[in-house]
Amino acid sequence: MTQADGGSFRILLWIVAVGFFMQTLDSTIVNTALPSMARALGESPLSMHAVIIAYALTMAMLIPASGWLADRFGSRNVFLAAIVLFTLGSVACAASTSLTQLVLSRIVQGAGGAMLLPVGRLVVLRNVPRDQFLAAMSFVAIPGLIGPLVGPTLGGWLVQTASWHWIFLINLPVGLVGVVLTVLYMPDSRNPGVGRFDMLGYLMLSLGMVALSFSLDGLTDFGFERATVLVLLVFAFALIVGYFLHAQRHPAPLFPLSLFRIHTYTVGLLGNLFARIGSGAMPFLIPLLLQVGLARSPLEAGMMMLPVAAMAMTAKRAVTRLINRYGYRRFLVVNTLALGGLQAAFAFMPLLSLPAMLVLLGCYGAVNSFQFTAMNTVTLRDLDPAGAGSGNSLFSMVQMLSMSLGVTVAGALLATFTPHFAAGIAGSAVTAFQATFVTIGLLTSASAWIFWHLDSGVSGGGRGVPADEAG
């Protein structure tokens, strides 16, 4: 491995950091623009969650393949392809004239976004001296925190001052600069000894995730009959069970079953899957409530999301001390219950004054940040070097799947509750939102039971495998 000189080294970090920023920004900037996009496309705002789900689900499907693709075709080639796909998908989103076109464009965008972060991290790992690696990854992680901070506000400002198309068009100049810098400065590394890709295992997991998402979304968005939904559910679970049987016999499965012999990894993975459903639903629900239910402008809705991200960044400084003092089990059980309670408390948001709303949003941002940091680190802390790659890929896939399920569940709950609260009567939309927040809070609180299965002696020490900095 050839180390870059000082100037090239800094440019390499900026390339990866900007790619990370593009991916995390686009995960949040769309939320405040959904009502405006719905009006322009002639759709109901409550049906627009497919725009978020398509992006998240595509990323969840392709993240597991990103490491193998970089080893096989070269990290620079794959990272370059990721930027090109992401930029082209952004342009296609801006040019969309129907919800179907927008969803398809988001799939292209998600295909690029899926490879930006994991391949970028791999490039840094292979080209940064070990004594500078922590500082390098800390620098690269900063955009992952800034993206969610500015995303809702920037999205609201662009919608109000220009149009929703600009939340996608701003990626075009950034993408063009990224392409040029990647070609000039990013080293190309690959693994000549990489084995054959476990295509059967990959298809089983990918199709299983798609079937599960469509089954949950089928009744509300696609008008599926209950029998169709049931078949999709059975198909999804059959594929997931089939993968476990396949992995037992395959010499080099995509995700070896030995990962699940690590107790902290198994509990952390399951806890992430279910606890993140509520956290994935909230960025979709809150801006929608502010605009549809409380008649706030897109810019106001975006500005009101600032306390969430600002407190999330501030709270990260305290979480290590708290985990070291109380241990992972006690901390995660209590914090998960607190997170569920705060999510349910958003049912009272229409009754609160503006300062009280901002306090609630800030408290939620801090507790949510605690939750992400603790779940991330407990999941990856005990992986050995041999299993770190596949374990982190599976973890990343579960994170994106859970975010997709969160938006799906939120949309399904809203669609279910709305007819029961006298649609057409003033305030009925707000009541449906309130019922949805309470249900989401109860679901999150129930996931505390998973973290109770951690050993009481598990504390902040570990083998130091870095968690997902984006949360």
Side-chain angles (χ1 to χ4, degrees):
M1 178 178 64
T2 303
Q3 302 294 344
D5 58 43
S8 298
F9 170 75
R10 286 190 293 271
I11 293 175
L12 172 63
L13 293 184
W14 273 106
I15 294 170
V16 176
V18 170
F20 193 6
F21 176 75
M22 289 171 65
Q23 188 265 314
T24 55
L25 176 69
D26 221 71
S27 298
T28 55
I29 195 173
V30 173
N31 291 327
T32 47
L34 289 179
S36 299
M37 293 161 67
R39 287 193 297 271
L41 300 176
E43 300 285 345
S44 165
L46 302 185
S47 68
M48 293 299 291
H49 60 282
V51 175
I52 303 174
I53 292 169
Y55 182 79
L57 196 58
T58 302
M59 289 188 63
M61 288 178 61
L62 294 182
I63 280 175
S66 59
W68 185 90
L69 289 171
D71 284 339
R72 176 66 178 81
F73 298 104
S75 53
R76 180 174 60 196
N77 293 333
V78 175
F79 194 82
L80 182 63
I83 294 179
V84 171
L85 273 176
F86 190 88
T87 305
L88 291 178
S90 299
V91 174
C93 286
S96 298
T97 56
S98 69
L99 180 58
T100 301
Q101 290 179 8
L102 183 57
V103 169
L104 292 175
S105 300
R106 287 283 281 175
I107 291 173
V108 176
Q109 200 181 31
M115 295 181 285
L116 282 174
L117 175 57
V119 176
R121 261 202 227 143
L122 184 62
V123 170
V124 174
L125 178 63
R126 288 178 173 172
N127 292 275
V128 173
R130 184 169 298 276
D131 60 341
Q132 300 179 44
F133 180 69
L134 181 59
M137 286 308 299
S138 298
F139 175 81
V140 171
I142 292 173
L145 299 173
I146 295 177
L149 175 65
V150 304
T153 306
L154 180 60
W157 179 76
L158 287 172
V159 168
Q160 193 155 316
T161 59
S163 71
W164 65 266
H165 305 83
W166 284 96
I167 66 175
F168 299 110
L169 290 176
I170 60 172
N171 291 325
L172 181 57
V174 179
L176 292 175
V177 173
V179 166
V180 174
L181 294 178
T182 299
V183 171
L184 293 178
Y185 293 101
M186 180 168 282
D188 191 32
S189 59
R190 62 187 71 199
N191 180 9
V194 64
R196 294 183 62 184
F197 185 63
D198 180 17
M199 181 58 72
L200 180 58
Y202 173 73
L203 290 175
M204 283 182 174
L205 285 178
S206 299
L207 293 176
M209 285 190 298
V210 172
L212 180 62
S213 182
F214 274 114
S215 67
L216 294 174
D217 220 25
L219 287 175
T220 54
D221 267 4
F222 304 114
F224 292 165
E225 298 292 336
R226 283 184 169 82
T228 305
V229 172
L230 182 60
V231 169
L232 284 171
L233 274 174
V234 172
F235 182 62
F237 287 115
L239 285 172
I240 293 171
V241 172
Y243 173 79
F244 280 92
L245 297 175
H246 162 80
Q248 288 179 335
R249 302 179 62 182
H250 196 279
L254 188 64
F255 302 120
L257 298 185
S258 59
L259 290 171
F260 298 102
R261 299 193 191 107
I262 304 171
H263 183 67
T264 51
Y265 183 79
T266 303
V267 175
L269 202 68
L270 290 172
N272 267 278
L273 176 61
F274 291 100
R276 283 178 180 269
I277 289 177
S279 296
M282 297 300 284
F284 166 73
L285 286 172
I286 296 172
L288 208 56
L289 169 65
L290 291 171
Q291 294 179 74
V292 175
L294 303 182
R296 300 276 181 176
S297 69
L299 180 58
E300 289 175 319
M303 291 291 289
M304 289 180 68
M305 295 299 289
L306 282 175
V308 177
M311 288 303 297
M313 294 178 67
T314 304
K316 284 187 179 293
R317 300 179 179 180
V319 67
T320 301
R321 293 194 300 272
L322 291 171
I323 292 172
N324 286 332
R325 181 173 180 179
Y326 297 107
Y328 274 107
R329 184 173 75 172
R330 188 186 303 180
F331 179 83
L332 275 169
V333 169
V334 172
N335 199 77
T336 304
L337 292 173
L339 183 63
L342 284 169
Q343 289 169 348
F346 276 88
F348 299 100
M349 198 169 183
L351 308 176
L352 300 177
S353 63
L354 179 59
M357 287 185 188
L358 297 179
V359 170
L360 176 61
L361 287 162
C363 291
Y364 172 74
V367 174
N368 197 47
S369 178
F370 285 162
Q371 187 77 12
F372 281 169
T373 302
M375 290 192 305
N376 291 351
T377 52
V378 78
T379 304
L380 299 176
R381 71 190 296 279
D382 292 328
L383 289 178
D384 56 37
S390 57
N392 186 56
S393 294
L394 178 58
F395 177 51
S396 299
M397 183 185 75
V398 167
Q399 286 179 309
M400 296 309 303
L401 173 63
S402 187
M403 188 174 84
S404 172
L405 290 177
V407 181
T408 297
V409 169
L413 288 172
L414 276 177
T416 300
F417 286 133
T418 298
H420 292 285
F421 293 108
I425 298 177
S428 62
V430 171
T431 309
F433 274 103
Q434 291 174 315
T436 300
F437 279 121
V438 171
T439 306
I440 290 293
L442 291 173
L443 289 173
T444 299
S445 298
S447 65
W449 177 80
I450 298 174
F451 296 114
W452 181 254
H453 288 80
L454 288 167
D455 294 333
S456 58
V458 179
S459 61
R463 298 184 183 180
V465 179
D468 180 9
E469 299 86 350

